[in-house]
Amino acid sequence: MKMTIKALVSSVALTVAASSAFAAECIAPANPGGGWDFTCRQIGKILFDIGQVSEPVQVTNMAGGGGGLAFSHVVNERADDADLIVAASSATTTRLAQNAFGGMTADQVRFVGAIGADPGVIVVAADSPFQSLNDLVAAMQADPSSVAFAGGSAVGGFDHLKVLQVAKASGINEVTKIKYIGVDGGADAITQTVGGFTQGMTGDMSEIVGFIKSGEVRALAVLTEERVPGFEDIPTAREQGVDVVAVNWRGLYVPKNISDDEFNAWADKLAAVAASDEWKQAMTDNGLAPFTKVGGDFQSWVDGVVAETEALSREIGVIQ
């Protein structure tokens, strides 16, 4: 009997240990609803559905500081937790680059991957004289102050930075002369442009789909590596000689002090989600375009984005 009980206890202990090793938590740095919550819930569900984790992923909503509360929690309290993933997006890296997290920096975590994105776009009113991105860029090169843009983020936010990236990639150095009006969301930005108050609008694909279909605006460029499925008639900026990729990616970071093997394991799991039919359907249902960068490739890309964002933000005075 003693041997049986001992064996049973050992078996239970091993089972608990094995289960805890594969139990995972995803922190969404915002309230339920919205992009970060979507990222945790969709990726978490698919991880379980396709057998990448043995138990359902627990989702914890941790709103505060535009993602800063969750970032601080991970850095200060969970720095070696290999069972933790955190939803991230372009807003995460923009805020880190602009020192919006109280002195915390991007290298205090490890960015494991992005597997979908809301593509950045540059659009004009349907009756605009600008027929291509090159037409718009030529006007900016001749006089940077002659073209004004509207966007759904504040000055220095991601929509504003898209315009500045296009300008810099086109050899325009006086980017502070480019006029930008930050309004409350993409729909208001399009209204500004259609109404003739600005010459262009910068935003995300999901914000302009209805306006494209109604014929109110014309998209000059999508800021992705490849044309977006379903919108193949919109050329990329790269195709037009402007080397800019600016997407609102959906992805994850993990604590910094986990091992390389643990980091690579999360990268493999995320890559499996990206390749699944379930994720492809989720992207279609939610207006996301393919954008898969996982593991070391993504970390290097993020490092470059943060450095570029910080430099641009200093140039326009958002940070000192």
Side-chain angles (χ1 to χ4, degrees):
M1 178 66 73
K2 289 181 180 178
M3 287 297 292
T4 303
I5 292 174
K6 184 177 180 181
L8 180 61
V9 170
S10 297
S11 174
V12 170
L14 286 170
T15 301
V16 170
S19 296
S20 63
F22 293 96
E25 177 187 0
C26 186
I27 294 178
N31 290 319
W36 286 331
D37 188 62
F38 163 84
T39 298
C40 270
R41 294 186 190 279
Q42 285 293 325
I43 291 178
K45 180 180 184 302
I46 295 171
L47 281 168
F48 180 66
D49 288 347
I50 65 176
Q52 289 296 313
V53 293
S54 58
E55 298 178 6
V57 175
Q58 174 189 333
V59 176
T60 302
N61 291 95
M62 190 177 292
L69 179 62
F71 196 88
S72 175
H73 172 75
V74 174
V75 170
N76 293 319
E77 300 180 38
R78 309 280 291 277
D80 58 357
D81 189 343
D83 296 325
L84 179 65
I85 52 178
V86 188
S89 67
S90 298
T92 310
T93 48
T94 298
R95 287 168 183 158
L96 284 165
Q98 294 177 344
N99 195 28
F101 289 173
M104 292 193 162
T105 54
D107 61 1
Q108 291 180 289
V109 299
R110 301 180 75 175
F111 286 85
V112 71
I115 61 170
D118 199 351
V121 289
I122 303 290
V123 306
V124 294
D127 60 356
S128 169
F130 301 124
Q131 298 297 316
S132 69
L133 182 62
N134 289 329
D135 290 344
L136 186 65
V137 165
M140 294 165 63
Q141 288 170 331
D143 181 2
S145 65
S146 67
V147 181
F149 292 88
S153 70
V155 171
F158 189 48
D159 285 341
H160 187 191
L161 294 177
K162 291 171 193 169
V163 173
L164 302 186
Q165 285 178 273
V166 168
K168 295 286 281 188
S170 303
I172 300 169
N173 295 317
E174 298 175 305
V175 295
T176 56
K177 292 185 177 181
I178 297 172
K179 297 173 183 176
Y180 174 82
I181 300 171
V183 293
D184 190 16
D188 286 353
I190 287 177
T191 299
Q192 292 285 319
T193 302
V194 172
F197 298 103
T198 62
Q199 286 70 51
M201 177 267 181
T202 170
D204 296 328
M205 178 67 80
S206 62
E207 298 173 320
I208 69 164
V209 170
F211 296 95
I212 287 178
K213 291 180 178 178
S214 68
E216 294 176 81
V217 299
R218 182 171 64 254
L220 300 185
V222 60
L223 306 179
T224 49
E225 294 178 336
E226 299 177 1
R227 295 196 184 198
V228 177
F231 298 90
E232 286 88 354
D233 58 330
I234 304 174
T236 67
R238 279 184 169 178
E239 287 177 59
Q240 301 173 76
V242 181
D243 189 10
V244 172
V245 173
V247 297
N248 190 12
W249 50 265
R250 308 290 184 189
L252 303 170
Y253 67 80
V254 293
K256 181 174 183 177
N257 294 337
I258 68 174
S259 70
D260 287 344
D261 286 345
E262 289 163 337
F263 174 83
N264 291 330
W266 275 120
D268 290 343
K269 292 178 190 298
L270 192 58
V273 173
S276 70
D277 291 337
E278 289 87 345
W279 177 249
K280 290 169 186 172
Q281 187 61 52
M283 286 197 297
T284 298
D285 293 344
N286 293 276
L288 297 181
F291 183 79
T292 303
K293 289 183 183 294
V294 178
D297 177 45
F298 183 62
Q299 181 67 64
S300 298
W301 185 79
V302 164
D303 292 342
V305 168
V306 169
E308 182 179 4
T309 302
E310 181 178 354
L312 272 175
S313 299
R314 290 187 188 282
E315 189 168 348
I316 63 175
V318 173
I319 55 176
Q320 302 301 315

